[in-house]
Amino acid sequence: MRVITFASTKGGVGKSTLAALCADGLLREGARVRLIDLDPQGTLTKWAEPIALRSPALLVSRMAPIASTSFAQHYNALIAILEDETDWVIIDTAGSDDVRQLAALAICDLVISPSGPVEAEVMGVQKTLRYLETALHEIGSTVPPMDMLRVVYQRPNGFPNAEMHVMRELIYDHFGAVDDIHQSAAITSFLGRRMTTAEAITAGSDAAPFLKMQAAADKLTQSLRGQFDV
């Protein structure tokens, strides 16, 4: 079982969309996937629950709200969810730095943080890296945080300006981006359809945008598998 946490202290950077694309690609490979949505907005859950009713390979888990600010309580609650083993676990987090995200960072094998060539998003990655360091300290891990963090570069529409070029170089050179995903309108609207890409194509929708999404999902999952050498 591999656990991947999608995290950034900057909200609205596409964590839920990337988490769904990752799940979509893994499901088409025949993997058994569990999703845990720690974002109060529940965007990933809203996409996944209807699909889970149709696909036994997809499991959606919820962590009951915990009033305490204790890291240990949240960490142990996640441990309890993971006792029923699956091939992959994908955790989506809120765009904040709270104890739930801290537990999600501490429990995972890999952290995925999306960022476009925008200073606020790059700063969100940097803050997430510091928060990951705190999470690893909480569990006594000596793994260097940079060894666990991977950035997915979100390629914007249009031509980047000079500042964007600088930010892109920073993302690749300093954080070592795993790959890029094009921020297309089709991918942005993917979650709202409450279907996998394969279901959308079967349903008779225009196949072209979904085939592009499948290509993006496959590219992402192949990059992630490469991190684990599997």
Side-chain angles (χ1 to χ4, degrees):
M1 176 174 61
R2 299 294 189 181
V3 182
I4 303 174
T5 293
F6 286 78
S8 172
T9 59
K10 171 75 172 66
V13 294
K15 294 186 301 296
S16 299
T17 301
L18 285 183
L21 281 175
C22 182
D24 186 83
L26 291 170
L27 288 170
R28 281 185 290 104
E29 291 178 359
R32 196 161 180 255
V33 181
R34 179 183 302 279
L35 301 182
I36 303 174
D37 192 351
L38 300 183
D39 189 340
Q41 295 184 39
T43 305
L44 184 63
T45 299
K46 292 171 186 174
W47 171 78
E49 282 187 333
I51 298 170
L53 293 175
R54 302 186 291 268
S55 173
L58 180 63
L59 304 173
V60 183
S61 299
R62 296 183 179 183
M63 190 171 83
I66 301 173
S68 170
T69 57
S70 164
F71 164 81
Q73 284 186 288
H74 287 82
Y75 184 81
N76 290 334
L78 283 174
I79 288 287
I81 295 173
L82 300 186
E83 285 180 354
D84 182 14
E85 189 168 317
T86 51
D87 299 316
W88 296 83
V89 176
I90 295 173
I91 304 176
D92 189 25
T93 62
S96 60
D97 48 357
D98 58 19
V99 70
R100 286 157 60 92
Q101 186 183 95
L102 193 67
L105 292 172
I107 205 170
C108 70
D109 301 302
L110 190 70
V111 179
I112 298 297
S113 191
S115 177
V118 180
E119 184 177 4
E121 295 183 12
V122 175
M123 289 302 297
V125 175
Q126 186 63 48
K127 289 175 67 177
T128 300
L129 182 63
R130 293 200 299 268
Y131 213 53
L132 174 59
E133 184 177 10
T134 301
L136 294 174
H137 177 75
E138 286 282 350
I139 60 172
S141 174
T142 58
V143 175
M146 280 292 285
D147 286 359
M148 287 182 60
L149 179 74
R150 297 293 183 272
V151 177
V152 173
Y153 177 70
Q154 302 220 78
R155 182 161 37 98
N157 292 314
F159 296 99
N161 57 33
E163 182 181 356
M164 288 180 174
H165 277 297
V166 171
M167 290 297 166
R168 182 188 183 279
E169 289 180 9
L170 176 63
I171 291 169
Y172 274 87
D173 294 343
H174 180 65
F175 294 111
V178 295
D179 230 319
D180 64 76
I181 297 290
H182 183 210
Q183 289 179 321
S184 67
I187 287 180
T188 303
S189 65
F190 172 52
L191 287 170
R193 292 183 176 267
R194 312 289 195 264
M195 291 186 285
T196 65
T197 53
E199 287 177 337
I201 292 170
T202 302
S205 300
D206 179 14
F210 294 103
L211 290 172
K212 289 181 180 178
M213 279 185 271
Q214 285 184 343
D218 291 342
K219 192 176 181 181
L220 177 60
T221 54
Q222 286 167 13
S223 294
L224 296 181
R225 284 188 178 280
Q227 307 305 309
F228 297 112
D229 296 320
V230 295

